[in-house]
Amino acid sequence: KGEDAKGVVEAIEYLRTYNLTGHAPKGAEVVVVGGGNAAVDAARTALRLGAAKVTVVYRRTRSEMPAYAEEVEEAEREGVRFEFLAAPLSLEVKSGTLAAATFRRMELGEFDKSGRRRPVAKAGAEFTLEADLLIAAIGQALAPSELFDGTSVKLSEREYIAVEATTGQTSVEWIFAGGDAATGPSSVIEAVAAGERAAVGINRLLTGETVAPWREDRLVDTAYDPDADPEMTGRAALKLLPAAKRAGFAEVECTWASKTALGESRRCLRCDWRDEAATAGAKQTARN
C-alpha cells in the first residue's frame, strides 16, 4: 500500500534515468529494498546524489545476498547501512508523498526451490524508517504476452522462455530467444553467447545449412614457448579510491602503475602447468 506515492521508484529505471540524463530523483533519507547488484548500485548512486542517509533492507541474511561481496563491502565503506532479515510491510504517505516505510522482521524457514531458506515473518516484530525516497530493487519478471503479441510460446518451469539449448529455438519454429528471457538473470557474456547460437539456428532454419565461420580455428601468430617454466605469482591488489574521496562519480577502482600492469601481463596463465605443479607438490608432501 502506498507504492504509487511520489518518492517511490524502481531501481532499474532509477539507474537508467541517471546514466542517460545525469539526473535522478533525490532524497535526504533513502531506503533501498532488495539484495542484488541493482540494489547496491542504486544505494551507492543515491549517496553520490547527496543523500544524508541510505539504508538497504534485505529479507534474507548478508551471506545470501546475490550482490557481489566486494560491492557490498565498498557500499559499507561509503556509508550505506544494511538491515537484514526485514521485508516491507507498508508505506506512510503524507499529501501524496512518501514519508516513512514500515518493515517486519523475518527469520529463515524451510528451503525453497531456489535452494535458499525461505524468509518468514516474525509476529509483532516491526520497525519504521523515515524516508523521502524508496527505491524498489526486488527483481523483475518476464511478461511473455507483451513479447509475443498473442503467439503462444512454451515456458519453462521457472516461467522463462523454453528454448533448445544449442540453437535458442522456441516451441514456435520461427521464434528464437536467449539471454535473461530464457535463462533468468545472468551475465552479458551469456546473453551474447545465446545470440550467437540463435544466429546459427536462424541460418539453419532459412538455408538448411549449419554455418558458423567465426567458430573455425585460426592460427594466432604469437611467440610462445610452451616449455618455459612459468613463474607462479599472485594477482596484484587493486588500488581503490579512499571512501572519503568518493563524493562524486569518479572511478573507484584506480589504474595500476606501469610496472604493476606489466607484471600482471606476464603472470602465468598456464593452468595445465599449475595443476601439474600442484599434483606434483601433493605427491611430494605425501612421500615426505
Side-chain angles (χ1 to χ4, degrees):
K1 183 179 178 181
E3 66 179 11
D4 295 329
K6 180 181 179 181
V8 180
V9 298
E10 194 275 326
I12 298 299
E13 185 60 28
Y14 173 80
L15 293 169
R16 178 179 182 272
T17 299
Y18 176 76
N19 280 281
L20 289 178
T21 68
H23 302 282
K26 296 181 180 181
E29 295 184 304
V30 179
V31 173
V32 182
V33 180
N37 285 315
V40 179
D41 196 0
R44 298 177 74 182
T45 298
L47 206 61
R48 284 161 170 75
L49 290 177
K53 179 181 177 182
V54 179
T55 305
V56 174
V57 183
Y58 180 53
R59 63 181 183 154
R60 288 188 167 95
T61 66
R62 177 171 181 151
S63 63
E64 293 169 303
M65 286 186 75
Y68 298 144
E70 58 268 27
E71 293 288 332
V72 177
E73 291 167 5
E74 293 309 316
E76 285 185 316
R77 288 193 180 96
E78 293 169 3
V80 175
R81 297 173 61 238
F82 287 84
E83 285 278 358
F84 298 106
L85 288 171
L89 180 61
S90 62
L91 302 180
E92 181 182 343
V93 179
K94 294 181 179 180
S95 301
T97 301
L98 176 70
T102 298
F103 297 84
R104 70 178 86 194
R105 293 290 180 188
M106 312 293 284
E107 56 188 356
L108 297 181
E110 298 299 320
F111 289 93
D112 61 18
K113 62 181 181 181
S114 73
R116 298 178 296 176
R117 293 174 64 187
R118 185 188 304 277
V120 294
K122 294 176 69 173
E126 300 174 3
F127 66 97
T128 299
L129 295 175
E130 292 185 0
D132 52 4
L133 178 64
L134 184 141
I135 304 173
I138 54 176
Q140 297 176 307
L142 187 68
S145 60
E146 296 181 16
L147 289 175
F148 301 120
D149 193 26
T151 301
S152 180
V153 175
K154 182 180 178 181
L155 302 181
S156 67
E157 291 182 357
R158 297 173 62 200
E159 298 298 314
Y160 298 119
I161 303 168
V163 298
E164 200 281 319
T166 58
T167 64
Q169 190 173 40
T170 70
S171 58
V172 178
E173 183 184 43
W174 48 272
I175 297 179
F176 292 74
D180 290 9
T183 64
S186 189
S187 67
V188 172
I189 293 298
E190 291 289 343
V192 171
E196 189 261 5
R197 291 191 294 271
V200 176
I202 292 169
N203 184 72
R204 187 170 69 184
L205 174 68
L206 297 176
T207 68
E209 300 179 359
T210 300
V211 180
W214 54 86
R215 292 180 180 174
E216 297 175 1
D217 292 336
R218 290 179 174 82
L219 178 64
V220 179
D221 187 17
T222 302
Y224 170 65
D225 182 2
D227 297 320
D229 289 335
E231 181 180 350
M232 300 298 288
T233 56
R235 178 181 295 177
L238 191 62
K239 184 180 178 181
L240 301 177
L241 193 69
K245 296 184 178 181
R246 301 181 193 175
F249 286 85
E251 289 287 346
V252 170
E253 298 177 350
C254 305
T255 56
W256 281 313
S258 297
K259 182 178 179 180
T260 304
L262 287 171
E264 281 294 286
S265 71
R266 296 189 181 104
R267 284 202 312 121
C268 176
L269 299 179
R270 286 283 305 279
C271 297
D272 59 330
W273 186 91
R274 179 193 63 198
D275 294 340
E276 289 173 8
T279 302
K283 290 179 178 178
Q284 183 63 43
T285 300
R287 284 196 294 270
N288 293 341

